[in-house]
Amino acid sequence: MSNINVIIEERPANIGNFLVGRLLPFRGKRMVGPFIFIDHMGPALLKEHQNIDVGPHPHIGLSTLTYLFEGSIMHRDTLGTAVEIFPNQVNWMTAGKGIVHSERTPEYLRHSDKKLHGLQIWVALPKELEDMAPAFYHAEADEIPAWETDGVSYKLIAGEAFGHKSPVPVYSKLFLLEIKSPTTQTINIGDDLFGEAGLYILEGSIESEGNTYEPKRILVAQNSQLCQFTIHANTTIYLFGGEPFPEERFIYWNFVATSQAIIEQAKQDWKEDRFPSIEGETDLVPLPPEIPNVRMKS
């Protein structure tokens, strides 16, 4: 029996003036451990007249993680944070009961060609913490645990694994690992994993149980303890997951919660301007309209 339970292909999604590859949520697999949302941004070459301008928008009930491979993004939020995110840094924003942030091309790059490539990830908060005070943490590239085993490079972006712990302040038991190999290797890491596990192929390919899998897809394991595969030369993958929550999560736009009532309150609060504001920013992203159910004729 194959240990691959679900294969998730990237689907195009428009986030304003930028097209991304959406991976989670997926109709057949809403979450992997506490991970509830993953977008693959780029790789994109933006011309001098093209910029990222995601105006102030709210979040509740989750932590966002931005991890770039190329380019940079200027992050501002209602805690007063103003930081430019560069490749290999970790930008970790915990929304809790509510935060607003914006994401833009830095001012000094707005009139020149630039590249952008990376991952944007949401991690749901445990039920007892979904109403916590918002928080922000920024980790420099050299703060992230990195090591090499048998020529394979590992980097622990968040969580705990292989006896290492990332400084990123996560709120549940999880892991997010970058694995790179310049040569073809067999990797057996199931003993070091827990909960649910997903594997995202950024570049190159892997082989599992006689099948070869190429980029822009997530493979979700039936049993993380049986996680063994061959990583081909010049391949980069991201291994993520952790202990799933016992409760269902509802998601609408940028809101994640354990009840629909919390979602409805957040929607009303955004409509009525009850979230905090970012000083100097006024181009708020409006609440998207409800999409009515489409009923097929019998």
Side-chain angles (χ1 to χ4, degrees), residues 7-297:
I7 300 173
I8 304 173
E9 305 274 353
E10 281 189 21
R11 294 96 61 204
N14 196 318
I15 59 169
N17 58 349
F18 193 69
L19 201 65
V20 299
R22 181 137 305 160
L23 291 152
L24 284 179
F26 178 65
R27 65 183 181 276
K29 186 64 177 170
R30 303 292 292 172
M31 299 175 68
V32 177
F35 290 79
I36 195 167
F37 178 99
I38 301 178
D39 268 358
H40 176 211
M41 304 182 294
L45 175 61
L46 304 177
K47 298 296 185 181
E48 72 280 354
H49 62 281
Q50 297 175 308
N51 293 298
I52 300 300
D53 273 310
V54 182
H57 57 283
H59 289 279
I60 66 165
L62 54 83
S63 296
T64 66
L65 189 155
T66 302
Y67 188 75
L68 298 180
F69 313 130
E70 290 184 284
S72 69
I73 296 174
M74 189 68 194
H75 164 101
R76 290 185 175 87
D77 64 41
T78 47
L79 295 174
T81 309
V83 63
E84 185 174 355
I85 311 163
F86 292 100
N88 301 310
Q89 298 176 340
V90 178
N91 195 77
W92 178 260
M93 183 186 74
T94 299
K97 62 184 178 181
I99 197 169
V100 176
H101 75 135
S102 65
E103 299 161 291
R104 303 186 189 275
T105 299
E107 193 62 37
Y108 69 95
L109 293 175
R110 297 184 72 84
H111 303 290
S112 59
D113 293 353
K114 54 262 173 191
K115 294 180 179 179
L116 187 64
H117 191 199
L119 295 173
Q120 286 202 311
I121 296 170
W122 298 356
V123 179
L125 287 169
K127 183 177 182 178
E128 65 273 15
L129 294 176
E130 63 182 342
D131 198 40
M132 68 179 282
F136 179 86
Y137 184 85
H138 181 81
E140 297 291 342
D142 60 5
E143 297 179 69
I144 306 303
W147 66 96
E148 188 173 297
T149 302
D150 298 328
V152 178
S153 298
Y154 296 82
K155 186 184 296 183
L156 184 60
I157 298 169
E160 297 185 49
F162 300 93
H164 297 271
K165 183 176 181 178
S166 167
V168 175
V170 302
Y171 299 98
S172 62
K173 196 174 179 186
L174 62 87
F175 52 87
L176 173 58
L177 286 151
E178 177 186 85
I179 304 176
K180 292 188 175 187
S181 182
T183 60
T184 298
Q185 300 266 7
T186 296
I187 293 180
N188 187 351
I189 53 178
D191 290 344
D192 294 285
L193 303 181
F194 50 86
E196 297 182 323
L199 186 156
Y200 173 65
I201 306 167
L202 176 71
E203 59 186 359
S205 61
I206 72 157
E207 185 177 335
S208 176
E209 298 161 322
N211 298 306
T212 298
Y213 300 96
E214 297 185 331
K216 296 190 175 183
R217 67 200 65 200
I218 285 174
L219 312 177
V220 181
Q222 286 197 95
N223 184 346
S224 65
Q225 298 293 299
L226 300 177
C227 194
Q228 178 176 321
F229 56 91
T230 297
I231 186 169
H232 290 160
N234 303 313
T235 291
T236 301
I237 62 173
Y238 291 84
L239 192 66
F240 65 96
E243 298 293 351
F245 296 128
E247 320 87 3
E248 181 183 4
R249 288 302 185 276
F250 296 87
I251 182 169
Y252 178 88
W253 191 35
N254 305 311
F255 304 139
V256 171
T258 54
S259 80
Q260 190 61 44
I262 296 173
I263 298 282
E264 293 303 320
Q265 184 62 58
K267 288 161 64 176
Q268 199 62 32
D269 288 344
W270 185 245
K271 286 180 183 177
E272 297 180 8
D273 199 24
R274 289 198 288 260
F275 275 82
S277 59
I278 302 173
E279 186 176 354
E281 297 208 34
T282 57
D283 56 333
L284 276 63
V285 179
L287 187 77
E290 300 276 359
I291 300 174
N293 291 331
V294 177
R295 297 193 177 189
M296 303 297 291
K297 291 183 180 179

